[in-house]
């Protein structure tokens, strides 16, 4: 596998994301400056300058015309993707943790952390593409307050995604829960607990029929979007920071590693900072790709299934192009035994029993 090392950030990577067509890679880190790279050769095309804090999340619209970024400087910014100019800044009460475009790219939603007397919030902003940016409102069309739980604990949102046709806002939390909200009224539609610990990241396949959650409880879980049914669990021996679903194969890519604060006490080998490949159906790990010197914080797979990017605590992004052997690889399918046929293992067991007799 041929990786290209993308070195354009000075601090640890927080998010990597391909656009819809898969020809551009958007990255952000704790150094305040998101970047955009060309997928085919790893060339940096440009940066988005203006934030004064860590960029926790970003999202690019369907046709790669506008980008929205979420920052710890308590603002979300809307950018022109072609020129890199800031179209508008949306000020929040606390650090902004996530941002996501709605279908149609005429509105986006953000999640922000609690700050002083302000609760955590989900905000929805209207930004019609054909309207003059000066007409965009500074205040959100909808604000959903996220008050403390009954036992007085603050619950912080970690990710936000719009479901198909903007039917609901899908929000993950640091207590292991997922909630669905009505984007028109702000009413809570559903709540369930896939994990016991913080959900670090959630990612969907391209048609949003499946989603996979990555958690600090050492597991990633695959769910059906329609009925929120739990399908598969992928177990590891370290916190999972991100997981993505391959578009062209029945494979899952997992990234993680021990917590950043304890990295210096162990070697790279012990820290296990590789990308791990699991079979989507059989939940078995069948390969891994090493290379990073710190926990992998973010993963993204190209919509065409031919490359993937990983960003880690070491400040590097590794852009990997899959070998032909991987692309042509056929997944093993368990044979269905005809009536009267015996499994090879059963036959061997029977032969060994007869030998011992």
């Amino acid at each position: 596998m041929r990786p290209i090392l993308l070195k354009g950030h000075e601090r640890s990577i927080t998010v990597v994301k391909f656009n819809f067509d898969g020809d551009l890679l958007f990255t952000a880190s704790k150094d305040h400056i998101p970047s955009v790279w060309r997928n085919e050769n790893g060339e940096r095309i440009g940066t988005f300058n203006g934030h004064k804090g860590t960029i926790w999340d970003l999202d690019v619209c369907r046709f790669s015309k506008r980008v929205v970024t979420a920052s710890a400087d308590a603002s979300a910014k809307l950018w022109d993707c072609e020129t890199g100019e800031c179209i508008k800044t949306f000020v929040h009460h606390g650090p902004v943790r996530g941002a996501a475009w709605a279908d149609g790219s005429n509105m986006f939603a953000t999640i922000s952390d609690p700050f002083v007397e302000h609760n955590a919030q989900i905000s929805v902003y209207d930004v019609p593409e054909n309207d003059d940016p000066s007409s965009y409102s500074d205040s959100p069309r909808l604000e959903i307050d996220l008050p403390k739980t009954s036992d007085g604990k603050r619950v912080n949102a970690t990710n936000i995604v719009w479901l198909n046709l903007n039917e609901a806002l899908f929000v993950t939390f640091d207590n292991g829960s997922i909630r669905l909200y009505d984007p028109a009224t702000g009413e809570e539609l559903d709540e369930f607990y896939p994990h016991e610990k913080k959900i670090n990241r959630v990612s969907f396949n391209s048609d949003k029929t499946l989603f996979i959650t990555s958690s600090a409880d050492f597991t990633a879980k695959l769910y059906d979007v329609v009925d929120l049914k739990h399908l598969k669990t992928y177990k590891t021996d370290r916190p999972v920071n991100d997981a993505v679903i391959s578009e062209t194969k029945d494979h899952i890519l997992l990234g993680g590693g021990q917590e950043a604060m304890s990295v210096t006490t162990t070697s790279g080998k012990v820290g296990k900072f590789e990308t791990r490949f699991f079979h989507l159906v059989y939940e078995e790990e069948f390969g891994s790709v090493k290379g990073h010197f710190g926990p992998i914080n973010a993963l993204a797979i190209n919509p065409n299934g031919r490359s993937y990017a990983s960003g880690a605590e070491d400040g590097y992004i590794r852009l990997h192009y899959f070998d032909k052997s991987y692309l042509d690889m056929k997944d093993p399918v368990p044979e269905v035994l005809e009536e009267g046929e015996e499994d090879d293992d059963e036959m061997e067991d029977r032969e060994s029993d007869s030998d011992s007799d």
Side-chain angles (χ1 to χ4, degrees), residues 110-123:
T110 62
I111 46 175
S112 55
D113 284 350
F115 189 71
V116 196
E117 75 274 10
H118 297 286
N119 284 328
Q121 276 183 336
I122 301 168
S123 309

Side-chain angles (χ1 to χ4, degrees), residues 60-99:
V60 57
C61 74
R62 164 70 177 78
F63 296 105
S64 306
K65 290 182 177 177
R66 299 186 294 174
V67 178
V68 61
T69 53
S71 173
D73 64 10
S75 74
K77 285 182 185 285
L78 185 64
W79 309 85
D80 184 307
C81 193
E82 187 179 351
T83 64
E85 290 177 20
C86 180
I87 299 171
K88 190 170 178 66
T89 299
F90 300 89
V91 178
H92 290 62
H93 296 307
V96 189
R97 282 279 165 183

Side-chain angles (χ1 to χ4, degrees), residues 153-178:
K153 288 184 180 174
R154 286 190 190 272
V155 180
N156 294 351
T158 54
N159 298 272
I160 186 164
V161 182
W162 293 78
L163 295 188
N164 277 331
L165 303 175
N166 302 333
E167 285 181 350
L169 284 166
F170 180 102
V171 186
T172 64
F173 291 88
D174 61 1
N175 64 348
S177 69
I178 293 176

Side-chain angles (χ1 to χ4, degrees), residues 267-292:
S267 67
K269 195 173 179 184
V270 178
K272 300 177 180 174
F273 308 132
E274 67 262 18
T275 304
R276 306 172 73 178
F277 286 70
F278 282 77
H279 195 284
L280 182 143
V281 180
Y282 308 126
E283 304 175 345
E284 293 170 353
E285 184 180 353
F286 64 87
S288 65
V289 176
K290 296 183 171 67
H292 282 293

Side-chain angles (χ1 to χ4, degrees), residues 16 42 52 72 112 117 137 174 190 192 194 221 227 246 285 328:
V16 295
K52 293 183 172 65
S112 55
E117 75 274 10
S137 171
D174 61 1
D190 202 352
F192 62 107
K221 293 186 179 180
D227 54 10
S246 172
E285 184 180 353
D328 295 343

Side-chain angles (χ1 to χ4, degrees), residues 120-294:
Q121 276 183 336
I122 301 168
S123 309
V124 178
Y125 293 89
D126 283 324
V127 286
E129 194 175 337
N130 299 324
D131 289 9
D132 181 14
S134 62
S135 67
Y136 296 162
S137 171
D138 290 331
S139 53
R141 170 175 62 78
L142 174 70
E143 275 188 333
I144 305 170
D145 227 29
L146 302 172
K148 293 180 182 177
T149 55
S150 52
D151 55 1
K153 288 184 180 174
R154 286 190 190 272
V155 180
N156 294 351
T158 54
N159 298 272
I160 186 164
V161 182
W162 293 78
L163 295 188
N164 277 331
L165 303 175
N166 302 333
E167 285 181 350
L169 284 166
F170 180 102
V171 186
T172 64
F173 291 88
D174 61 1
N175 64 348
S177 69
I178 293 176
R179 295 181 200 164
L180 300 182
Y181 291 92
D182 186 316
T185 63
E187 178 190 354
E188 187 179 316
L189 304 173
D190 202 352
E191 181 181 28
F192 62 107
Y193 283 80
H195 294 280
E196 296 168 6
K197 291 185 179 177
K198 178 183 177 181
I199 298 176
N200 291 318
R201 200 66 64 92
V202 65
S203 63
F204 288 68
N205 59 350
S206 60
D207 52 8
K208 291 189 178 175
T209 52
L210 296 170
F211 69 87
I212 186 164
T213 56
S214 322
S215 172
D217 66 6
F218 298 13
T219 64
K221 293 186 179 180
L222 187 72
Y223 278 80
D224 184 315
V225 171
V226 179
D227 54 10
L228 302 177
K229 182 182 171 189
H230 175 227
L231 303 175
K232 301 286 176 184
T233 300
Y234 309 95
K235 294 178 182 168
T236 69
D237 54 359
R238 72 210 76 155
V240 184
N241 293 336
D242 205 353
V244 288
I245 303 166
S246 172
E247 296 296 340
T248 52
K249 290 182 175 287
D250 288 334
H251 294 168
I252 300 286
L253 278 65
L254 257 68
Q258 63 187 147
E259 286 186 42
M261 61 183 178
S262 51
V263 166
T264 52
T265 60
T266 53
S267 67
K269 195 173 179 184
V270 178
K272 300 177 180 174
F273 308 132
E274 67 262 18
T275 304
R276 306 172 73 178
F277 286 70
F278 282 77
H279 195 284
L280 182 143
V281 180
Y282 308 126
E283 304 175 345
E284 293 170 353
E285 184 180 353
F286 64 87
S288 65
V289 176
K290 296 183 171 67
H292 282 293
F293 294 99

